[in-house]
Amino acid sequence: MQRLVFEGYSSKNDAYLSFVVKYDMRGQRKLVPHHDAATFTTNTALNRVGIDFEGGGSFFIRQNCLVGDAPVGWTLIHPGRLTHYHEGREISRGTRYILVSFNDP
């Protein structure tokens, strides 16, 4: 897949860190703007917006783009360094789970 997305780029193609993020009303509701320390990042929706939680999503600041309504199992892929400064938007109800993987350090 990396050859299709990042033409001319070659690496060992490892997901070197994968983890589940939990956003809830009593704990972490959002994530401040940041860059990921990876060549690319994947972010997979694990539960249902509008049913299990409200709000949230990934907002890419430079691109002025919010991805906030991904169905369960859909995966967002984006460059991790430099160009895609982003934040986790605040949830307003419930609990949101996402699976994040950092790929090719």
Side-chain angles (χ1 to χ4, degrees), residues 17-104:
L17 180 63
S18 297
F19 53 95
V20 173
V21 177
K22 176 183 178 183
Y23 295 97
D24 69 4
M25 301 307 292
R26 291 180 304 212
Q28 180 178 346
R29 292 185 188 192
K30 64 182 181 178
L31 186 59
V32 298
H34 64 282
H35 285 291
D36 297 332
T39 302
F40 66 93
T41 299
T42 59
N43 179 324
T44 304
L46 298 179
N47 61 342
R48 303 162 297 173
V49 66
I51 297 171
D52 300 317
F53 67 94
E54 296 284 344
S58 297
F59 182 68
F60 296 91
I61 296 159
R62 179 178 175 201
Q63 294 78 11
N64 192 30
C65 176
L66 175 64
V67 180
D69 57 357
V72 172
W74 281 40
T75 300
L76 170 66
I77 182 172
H78 64 87
R81 298 182 187 117
L82 302 178
T83 62
H84 284 66
Y85 192 60
H86 61 286
E87 65 185 7
R89 285 285 171 99
E90 188 168 359
I91 62 164
S92 57
R93 181 189 65 78
T95 302
R96 176 182 185 220
Y97 293 98
I98 58 173
L99 173 64
V100 175
S101 292
F102 296 144
N103 302 275
D104 292 328

